Amino acid sequence: MTLIARFELENYIGQLLAVDRFRDYCPNGLQIEGRDSVRKVATAVTASQAAVDAAIAAGADTLLVHHGYFWKSEAAPIRGTKKARIAALLKADVNLLAYHLPLDAHAELGNNAQLGTRLGLTASGRFGEQELGWIGELAEPTTLAGFAQRIDTALVRQPLVIGDADRPIRRVAWCTGGAQGYFHQAVDLGIDAFITGEASEFVTHLARETGVAFIAAGHHATERYGVRALGEHLASHFGLELIHLDIENPV
């Protein structure tokens, strides 16, 4: 395995994901400083205590995640669970690297790109804030019931589906995570179905009244694949050791 400087790894990811072009709700890049050199990277969707503990136990010097810390909407004091997580990383001298919107958006390694590939969708455009939403088509149309089964099989999670099970599905919009607020914009694009991770109360009525199917396939489940793909890319590019941590989450 190769040993590289932490700043070299952070700079490479920053350029790869074009982090400077995004207006985000958290800092992208190094959030907790650990060792100066990187040899073994652990990836996870979220820097939960379980992920932190597993990364430390595996001997990783760097934890790479999609959901890190220091969100604009959270309280600033470092106490409670925030203190426990940060204290564990500092004690073990483990770096925390986090990439939020840049990892959603990347054309190949991003969450939306990876989800589309797994569901057999060919992307043809983008929409929404900072063009985070994707739109595309299936090679062959299927029914909503058949598409829901495909999602269940691909993500190993039964999705919440609102719509006519027999409706033909070909043109699809999607945005991983908590993007149910994009449903209105997606409907205006002339789609058959919209996929995201979570659902809000209003989506039921919008789906029923427009005939456009709404699918909530899980925030965690739809965002498993971007950080895994990024980790695999880094391991191949730099010769790093890699471990992926899939911490179970039903949401």
Side-chain angles (χ1 to χ4, degrees):
M1 295 296 108
T2 303
L3 188 69
I4 67 166
R6 182 192 60 236
F7 78 86
E8 181 182 355
L9 180 64
E10 184 184 13
N11 287 345
Y12 178 83
I13 300 173
Q15 293 179 35
L16 177 67
L17 300 185
V19 299
D20 290 341
R21 84 171 181 87
F22 291 92
R23 303 182 306 278
D24 215 332
Y25 321 109
C26 61
N28 287 292
L30 183 66
Q31 292 190 342
I32 304 294
E33 183 178 311
R35 276 161 266 186
D36 292 334
S37 299
V38 176
R39 182 190 304 273
K40 184 172 184 177
V41 175
T43 63
V45 174
T46 300
S48 63
Q49 189 69 59
V52 169
D53 292 344
I56 293 170
D61 46 60
T62 299
L63 176 59
L64 172 66
V65 301
H66 179 48
H67 300 136
Y69 306 150
F70 312 116
W71 301 91
K72 289 181 181 178
S73 60
E74 73 179 20
I78 299 176
R79 57 188 297 178
T81 57
K82 185 191 290 189
K83 175 194 171 183
R85 295 171 180 180
I86 293 174
L89 288 165
L90 291 173
K91 183 178 180 180
D93 204 22
V94 170
N95 297 296
L96 176 64
L97 290 168
Y99 298 91
H100 186 229
L101 297 184
L103 187 55
D104 286 321
H106 192 271
E108 296 178 8
L109 305 176
N111 286 319
N112 284 316
Q114 292 292 314
L115 179 64
T117 297
R118 280 165 174 76
L119 299 184
L121 291 162
T122 300
S124 58
R126 302 213 185 176
F127 71 100
E129 180 189 0
Q130 301 183 75
E131 297 188 326
L132 293 172
W134 287 42
I135 187 167
E137 293 187 352
L138 296 167
E140 296 291 337
T142 184
T143 63
L144 178 58
F147 192 43
Q149 183 56 56
R150 179 184 300 190
I151 294 170
D152 189 339
T153 300
L155 304 188
V156 197
R157 183 190 188 280
Q158 184 175 0
L160 169 67
V161 180
I162 303 168
D164 180 355
D166 295 325
R167 178 189 171 110
I169 303 295
R170 182 159 198 167
R171 185 168 168 83
V172 178
W174 70 99
C175 190
T176 65
Q180 59 268 45
Y182 285 8
F183 191 25
H184 290 93
Q185 295 179 57
V187 166
D188 291 340
L189 297 172
I191 59 169
D192 302 313
F194 176 67
I195 307 168
T196 187
E198 301 181 17
S200 295
E201 191 271 349
F202 80 88
V203 302
T204 298
H205 307 295
L206 187 58
R208 289 173 178 171
E209 293 166 21
T210 62
V212 176
F214 180 90
I215 303 171
H219 195 133
H220 175 84
T222 59
E223 296 194 328
R224 281 192 191 112
Y225 307 106
V227 74
R228 182 192 291 267
L230 176 58
E232 291 172 351
H233 173 83
L234 297 174
S236 175
H237 184 80
F238 289 107
L240 299 170
E241 187 176 353
L242 177 69
I243 179 173
H244 184 69
L245 309 171
D246 191 8
I247 307 300
E248 189 275 336
N249 188 333
V251 176

